[in-house]
Amino acid sequence: MATSAWSVPTCRRLMLRWSHIRSFASTSSQKTPRELYKSLVDRGQLKEDPSQQKALDLIEELHHQVMAYEAPSSSESKTEGGWMTSFISSVTKGSKGSAPRGIYLWGGVGCGKTMLMDLFYKTIDKPRKRRVHFHAFMLDLHKRMHELRTTGNVKGDPIPHITKEIIEECWLLCFDEFQVTDIADALVMRRLFDSLWEQGLVVFATSNRPPDDLYYNGIQRELFVPFIDECKERNEVHHLLSPTDYRLMGTKAATYMSPLNDTTQKQAEDLFHRLTVTDPDTSPKTVELNGRTLKVPMGSFRNGVAWFTFADLCAMPKGAEDFIAIADTFPTVFVVDVPTLTRNEMNQVRRFITLVDALYESRTKVVFTAQSYAHELFVGDGGPEDELFAFDRTVSRLTEMQSLEYLEMAGRREEPTIKGNMFASLRQGDRKLTDEEAQDLWNFYDADLNNEMTVLEAELLMRDLCQIVHGCDCITEDHVTEAFSRITHSPTGNKERDARAEPGRGINRSEFREGFGHLVEYVRKEVPANC
């Protein structure tokens, strides 16, 4: 992997930088979606796209309508007439006809649907809103139904009770990757959303397919068609026509290794060992999941790393609930020995699609070894159209998950306890890192796992340091360049090391441990606390 140049790589200015979009959370409530989009374009974090601008017309209008909308109130207590009476009373203001029409935004993979939805979500400064992926929503829904049936708290149809619960929790639902491939989900979705819409729910949904293609060729699809009609009535349907898959524009890192041979196997094993070197126990682990046990062949709870084969995850009866639990437990997951798939393995294809969705949505770092490149993983024509269509999204996500931009964002998903403890000690005075702390921090900030810290990775570290030292983020590119040069260009007295200190190279692990104090000192003394 080539090291970064002296300035922060220009590729990130062409990429949808989710970490920077999220950094606007504190101020986004004061902006509209269009204003926030423009801010990101002006800062170089987004590339202006005419098709996204057109979609923003609808999104901006919905934003103003939602901000003026008197949402159904949350009922915290039961009235004398029982919970149904209380519920009907609580949602009178959100009845049909008063709620704004939502948005159903569909288009090809990587065109910016989710990004636009997230901009909308962050600019809604109101309580009781929810942003959720389809898999997570359906798991939650089935869990609620199961609990109601097993506890016996509700007699008969559970849908009215679940409707009440959801409306009390959220009246605005941003629903990512809307898709229906199962008859049970199709029927439940129809009944639930009929009820939710009647009670004033506002929906912003993204999908790879238009509403008329949902559950295409599904069993007893005619029972689902009324939901499609209602969906089109309740939402403005917009096709996001963008020729660019922005997720394919990032710089790739060595986290997808192909083909399957002794070399890629050793590369994966060496990387696993490097990420878990501070934990002597990488023996098989178990994760408790709703009364059952999920087995992890190799793993480190301390370092947050797990190792699975493709067969462990996709040749066994596992689903979204298992994959989400893995992602929640381990920030880094190895999936090795991924074979080339055909229509004869459609169950494995379905599980692999769900696995990638769960890991991607949770921003998990994933290391794959596979027989073929991502775009060649599925071969042959035929098979259920919904799954084949969804596999296009999987290919795009697999490609994005190799990018430095994704890995940088994934690395910030969940901070290790050791990092928090070490940073806390910095508030009390300077001290050198222990070998263990240096290893953990290195693993955390070496986002592309190439065993060298680039300028971009050092920038992330300095931003975190600035938050701790000054309580704000005042880091500029000039600060990063200057601090980085002090580590890579400071004379050490070692002629061999000084000779290697050439512009443009990254920091190795030894230099990181020795130079960390310089970064801290620079942030303390040279970076003004004027955020």
Side-chain angles (χ1 to χ4, degrees):
M1 188 71 194
T3 58
S4 299
W6 277 101
S7 61
V8 178
T10 56
C11 65
R12 72 173 184 164
R13 294 180 172 84
L14 302 177
M15 190 69 186
L16 300 181
R17 292 292 306 280
W18 300 103
S19 56
H20 284 271
I21 290 174
R22 288 171 176 170
S23 73
F24 277 81
S26 61
T27 59
S28 59
S29 62
Q30 303 169 11
K31 297 178 182 289
T32 69
R34 186 179 296 282
E35 291 169 344
L36 184 53
Y37 183 90
K38 184 178 184 301
S39 296
L40 293 168
V41 170
D42 291 344
R43 289 172 176 244
Q45 308 309 324
L46 288 181
K47 181 181 179 181
E48 194 166 17
D49 185 301
S51 63
Q52 294 174 359
Q53 289 279 13
K54 188 173 181 179
L56 276 170
D57 292 339
L58 287 175
I59 296 171
E60 188 83 355
E61 181 180 356
L62 180 60
H63 172 271
H64 293 303
Q65 292 176 352
V66 164
M67 292 303 294
Y69 175 49
E70 190 171 356
S73 60
S74 175
S75 175
E76 297 297 333
S77 60
K78 298 179 182 180
T79 64
E80 186 176 349
W83 74 263
M84 182 58 78
T85 301
S86 173
F87 177 55
I88 293 175
S89 174
S90 72
V91 299
T92 300
K93 294 179 181 177
S95 60
K96 184 176 180 179
S98 63
R101 290 184 76 201
I103 291 177
Y104 184 101
L105 188 63
W106 71 279
V109 293
C111 62
K113 303 182 300 293
T114 299
M115 179 274 295
L116 291 173
M117 184 185 72
D118 284 342
L119 290 183
F120 169 81
Y121 182 82
K122 289 189 178 299
T123 57
I124 299 301
D125 188 20
K126 283 190 170 186
R128 294 169 50 226
K129 60 179 182 176
R130 184 182 183 192
R131 191 268 195 213
V132 64
H133 189 273
F134 173 81
H135 290 310
F137 181 85
M138 293 309 299
L139 285 173
D140 179 62
L141 174 59
H142 287 302
K143 181 179 179 181
R144 292 175 192 250
M145 296 177 68
H146 176 73
E147 289 177 349
L148 289 174
R149 287 167 178 157
T150 55
T151 59
N153 291 337
V154 175
K155 304 297 183 182
D157 187 3
I159 293 298
H161 186 85
I162 292 174
T163 299
K164 172 185 181 289
E165 289 182 343
I166 292 176
I167 285 291
E168 288 187 337
E169 294 166 2
C170 71
W171 58 269
L172 174 63
L173 180 61
C174 291
F175 206 40
D176 196 27
E177 298 293 356
F178 196 105
Q179 60 176 324
V180 183
T181 59
D182 178 84
I183 180 60
D185 286 349
L187 297 180
V188 170
M189 291 288 286
R190 173 192 167 183
R191 296 185 58 242
L192 176 66
F193 274 84
D194 280 351
S195 181
L196 287 171
W197 276 321
E198 286 294 331
Q199 308 306 335
L201 182 76
V202 179
V203 172
F204 189 139
T206 72
S207 179
N208 289 341
R209 318 202 73 172
D212 288 327
D213 285 355
L214 289 173
Y215 196 47
Y216 194 77
N217 287 336
I219 299 173
Q220 295 181 298
R221 187 175 187 265
E222 66 276 5
L223 300 177
F224 184 68
V225 170
F227 169 83
I228 295 176
D229 295 335
E230 184 77 357
C231 179
K232 292 190 292 185
E233 178 186 343
R234 298 281 187 174
N235 299 284
E236 189 76 33
V237 178
H238 182 79
H239 186 190
L240 185 58
L241 282 166
S242 177
T244 304
D245 185 344
Y246 288 93
R247 295 181 300 193
L248 305 184
M249 294 175 63
T251 306
K252 292 183 180 178
T255 56
Y256 189 101
M257 308 170 193
S258 180
L260 298 178
N261 54 34
D262 292 342
T263 300
T264 54
Q265 176 71 15
K266 186 176 186 305
Q267 288 174 342
E269 291 174 352
D270 288 348
L271 181 55
F272 179 84
H273 175 71
R274 177 157 64 84
L275 295 178
T276 59
V277 69
T278 61
D279 188 353
D281 179 17
T282 57
S283 60
K285 302 291 189 296
T286 58
V287 175
E288 297 301 319
L289 179 62
N290 292 333
R292 57 190 178 87
T293 299
L294 180 66
K295 295 181 180 180
V296 182
M298 287 196 302
S300 166
F301 286 131
R302 184 185 187 283
N303 296 115
V305 182
W307 176 287
F308 297 91
T309 66
F310 173 88
D312 293 329
L313 299 174
C314 300
M316 307 291 288
K318 290 184 172 63
E321 185 176 39
D322 302 276
F323 303 146
I324 290 173
I326 291 169
D328 287 344
T329 306
F330 299 100
T332 302
V333 175
F334 284 69
V335 182
V336 300
D337 298 334
V338 180
T340 301
L341 300 166
T342 71
R343 63 182 178 179
N344 296 324
E345 296 91 33
M346 286 311 299
N347 284 334
Q348 295 183 30
V349 171
R350 293 187 186 98
R351 293 189 189 111
F352 189 65
I353 291 171
T354 304
L355 170 67
V356 172
D357 280 348
L359 297 175
Y360 175 90
E361 194 64 27
S362 64
R363 297 299 184 253
T364 301
K365 287 185 181 181
V366 189
V367 178
F368 293 97
T369 66
Q371 184 59 47
S372 308
Y373 292 113
H375 65 280
E376 298 173 339
L377 271 180
F378 185 87
V379 296
D381 298 324
E385 185 174 349
D386 278 304
E387 279 76 8
L388 297 181
F389 195 91
F391 203 83
D392 288 340
R393 182 183 71 246
T394 300
V395 171
S396 177
R397 290 187 162 183
L398 285 172
T399 304
E400 185 190 352
M401 291 164 85
Q402 301 171 58
S403 71
L404 293 179
E405 289 77 11
Y406 176 90
L407 292 168
E408 166 205 323
M409 176 177 51
R412 297 167 69 82
R413 184 196 74 159
E414 178 179 328
E415 298 187 0
T417 301
I418 187 68
K419 177 191 169 206
N421 291 340
M422 192 282 300
F423 275 178
S425 70
L426 292 178
R427 297 190 183 97
Q428 304 169 3
D430 292 327
R431 67 177 179 84
K432 291 184 178 181
L433 295 176
T434 66
D435 289 340
E436 189 174 90
E437 288 170 347
Q439 180 66 47
D440 282 323
L441 276 175
W442 180 267
N443 288 342
F444 185 79
Y445 287 101
D446 181 23
D448 59 358
L449 309 180
N450 72 339
N451 212 26
E452 187 170 64
M453 182 170 290
T454 64
V455 174
L456 179 57
E457 292 163 344
E459 177 192 0
L460 298 175
L461 171 59
M462 289 183 65
R463 290 187 182 280
D464 286 338
L465 282 172
C466 192
Q467 286 284 353
I468 289 172
V469 174
H470 297 308
C472 59
D473 182 356
C474 310
I475 296 296
T476 66
E477 292 186 15
D478 288 340
H479 291 144
V480 178
T481 302
E482 173 63 23
F484 194 83
S485 67
R486 292 192 182 188
I487 295 177
T488 58
H489 291 267
S490 296
T492 63
N494 184 315
K495 293 183 179 180
E496 181 181 352
R497 181 183 302 169
D498 293 342
R500 297 198 312 267
E502 299 175 356
R505 72 175 183 84
I507 304 171
N508 62 40
R509 194 183 317 229
S510 174
E511 290 171 324
F512 172 75
R513 183 175 185 276
E514 295 174 7
F516 181 76
H518 293 300
L519 288 179
V520 175
E521 190 69 10
Y522 181 86
V523 170
R524 278 183 168 155
K525 294 184 177 180
E526 304 295 334
V527 178
N530 57 359
C531 311

